[in-house]
Amino acid sequence: MSNEQTHHPMASEGAAPGATGVSRETSDPFDRLVEDNDSPLAAEMMATERHRRALESATFPRPPRTRIIAVSNQKGGVGKTTTSVNVAAALAKRGANVLVIDADPQGNASTALGVEHRSGTPSIYEVLLDDVPMHKVAQRCPDIDTLWCVPATIDLAGADIELVSVVRREFRLHMALQALLEGPGKDLDYVFIDCPPSLGLLTLNAMVVATEVLIPIQCEYYALEGLTQLMKTVEMVRKHLNQDIHVSTIVLTMYDSRTNLAREVATEVRSHFPTQTLEQTVPRSVRVSEAPGFGQTVITHDPHSSGAVAYMAIARDIAVRGAAGAESK
Ligand SMILES: Nc1ncnc2c1ncn2[C@@H]1O[C@H](COP(=O)(O)OP(=O)(O)OP(=O)(O)O)[C@@H](O)[C@H]1O
Ligand SMILES: [Mg+2]
C-alpha cells in the first residue's frame, strides 16, 4: 500500500532483522542500551525491536475486494477475540478499512476495541433479530480512525434460541453484511467476525457470510481436540450453504517456545495444516492480556511489546497472502 510507505525516520537504519549496529554517535538510545547489555532478555528485546522496525517499513497490500474472515474455534479461551481485535487493529493501523463484528454475547471484542456495549446499546442483536441496518449500530473505535466495531451486548445471549424460529435463520448476518458492503461499507478491506465458543447459529451465520475461516489454536494439551468437528462444520457449510468458505489461516496462540508441549503442538498442527498455519506465532504476553482492561488492543496499548509485534507480523502475512489472490475469492 504505497500511501503508507512515506519515509519513517527509523525505517532506514537497522530496519532489517539482524542488521549490525551503527556507530555509537548515530545509533539511537535503544540500540545503545541493548548493545551494552548482552543478557538473553536484552537480546530478545533487541530482536523484537528490529522486527518491529522491519515491519514498519514493510508493505501491507490491500485486498482486491473485501475479505470476510470468521475467527472461529468452538473451544473456549484459545485466543479468538484477542486475535480478531489485534489483527484487525494492526491492519487498520496500516491504513486498511476494517470492521470487527462481535458475534459473541460475552462482548469481549467490543470491550477490547473500547466501544459502548452496555445492555440496550444498538448492537449485532438488533441487526440479526430486528433488521436494523448494520451501519446504524457500527461504532468507530476511539484509537484508530479506520477501525469500526459492531458491538455485542448481553442481549445476544438468547439469540441462538431466538433465531431458530426466524426465516432464513442461517442467512441473517449474510443479508445484513451484504447490504452494508453494497452501501455505506463499500470501502471496507476486511471484516473480522469474532465467533462465540460454540458451533451454534451465531457461528453458522458467520460461516455463511465469510469467505475465510481463521482458527486460533492455543499451544496446550487438548489443542487439537474438537478440530475435526470444526473442520467438518466448515465442510458442511461449504457443501450446503456457502461454497466459497475455506480455512485460510491457522494462528498458534499463547506460544511458549521454552516448553516441549508448545513445540510439539505446533509441530503437529503444522503437519496437518502445512499451508494454513502461519510461521509467526503469538507469544504468551502480559501486555496482550492486560490491554482489554484499558479498552485497547495491544497494538495501541504497547506497540513495542512482543505481542504487538507478533500480531503486526501476522497481519502482514494475512495481507500478503490475500494480495496473492489465494484467499480473496
Ligand atoms: N498471547 C497471549 N498472551 C497472554 N494472554 C493471552 C494471549 N492471548 C490471549 N490471552 C488471554 O487468554 C484469555 C482467552 O483469550 P481470548 O478471550 O482471546 O480467547 P477466546 O477464544 O476469544 O475466548 P472465548 O472462547 O471465551 O471467546 C484472555 O484472558 C486473554 O487475555
Ligand atoms: Mg472470545
Side-chain angles (χ1 to χ4, degrees):
M1 199 171 49
S2 56
N3 61 355
E4 265 293 292
Q5 303 312 309
T6 49
H7 179 75
H8 187 284
M10 294 206 293
S12 57
E13 287 178 19
T20 53
V22 285
S23 77
R24 292 187 68 85
E25 290 71 35
T26 55
S27 68
D28 72 17
F30 175 85
D31 282 336
R32 285 207 300 279
L33 178 76
V34 289
E35 279 164 17
D36 287 350
N37 184 342
D38 59 1
S39 73
L41 183 63
E44 208 176 298
M45 283 172 65
M46 184 152 63
T48 300
E49 180 59 12
R50 289 215 163 111
H51 194 184
R52 190 191 69 76
R53 292 179 188 193
L55 285 164
E56 209 166 48
S57 56
T59 50
F60 282 56
R62 280 176 137 148
R65 73 209 78 176
T66 313
R67 291 173 67 185
I68 306 174
I69 303 174
V71 181
S72 181
N73 187 338
Q74 78 276 26
K75 196 164 156 39
V78 298
K80 292 180 288 296
T81 302
T82 307
T83 300
S84 302
V85 300
N86 286 302
V87 172
L91 290 165
K93 200 79 192 151
R94 299 305 300 265
N97 295 311
V98 187
L99 172 66
V100 174
I101 298 176
D102 191 345
D104 184 350
Q106 298 179 99
N108 295 154
S110 312
T111 303
L113 294 174
V115 300
E116 181 60 62
H117 65 108
R118 272 180 294 198
S119 178
T121 306
S123 66
I124 189 67
Y125 177 87
E126 284 74 14
V127 171
L128 294 173
L129 274 305
D130 300 335
D131 290 321
V132 173
M134 209 174 251
H135 71 272
K136 297 250 178 182
V137 309
Q139 299 179 42
R140 196 194 286 270
C141 298
D143 296 318
I144 305 175
D145 271 356
T146 54
L147 182 57
W148 296 77
C149 176
V150 169
T153 67
I154 192 65
D155 306 328
L156 193 62
D160 252 328
I161 295 166
E162 289 173 63
L163 276 169
V164 170
S165 55
V166 173
V167 181
R168 285 174 62 80
R169 60 193 176 191
E170 300 93 350
F171 291 89
R172 304 295 297 172
L173 190 58
H174 185 276
M175 291 187 292
L177 189 53
Q178 285 311 325
L180 180 80
L181 295 178
E182 283 161 18
K186 64 181 182 330
D187 292 332
L188 283 170
D189 296 302
Y190 297 92
V191 177
F192 289 90
I193 308 170
D194 182 27
C195 294
S198 73
L199 295 175
L201 267 176
L202 288 170
T203 297
L204 204 54
N205 264 268
M207 287 190 184
V208 165
V209 69
T211 46
E212 298 172 50
V213 180
L214 184 160
I215 304 177
I217 295 182
Q218 187 183 357
C219 297
E220 296 283 349
Y221 202 63
Y222 299 135
L224 296 166
E225 281 192 14
L227 214 54
T228 312
Q229 185 59 37
L230 179 54
M231 292 299 176
K232 273 189 190 155
T233 304
V234 174
E235 192 52 27
M236 186 273 288
V237 172
R238 206 179 60 76
K239 260 195 192 142
H240 301 290
L241 298 164
N242 173 13
Q243 61 179 13
D244 287 341
I245 196 160
H246 64 297
V247 175
S248 65
T249 314
I250 292 179
V251 175
L252 297 168
T253 65
M254 295 180 244
Y255 184 78
D256 184 345
S257 58
R258 294 166 304 181
T259 70
N260 288 337
L261 179 60
R263 284 201 301 270
E264 280 164 25
V265 170
T267 304
E268 183 151 6
V269 172
R270 288 187 200 289
S271 75
H272 282 98
F273 306 102
T275 54
Q276 294 95 333
T277 311
L278 299 185
E279 190 59 39
Q280 176 72 55
T281 56
V282 184
R284 199 174 266 288
S285 140
V286 173
R287 288 281 183 264
V288 170
S289 58
E290 74 185 11
F294 296 88
Q296 287 195 349
T297 65
V298 77
I299 301 297
T300 49
H301 175 58
D302 186 354
H304 293 261
S305 64
S306 60
V309 173
Y311 272 119
M312 195 52 95
I314 286 168
R316 174 153 198 273
D317 279 355
I318 289 173
V320 169
R321 285 164 162 238
E327 314 308 344
S328 47
K329 293 194 175 180

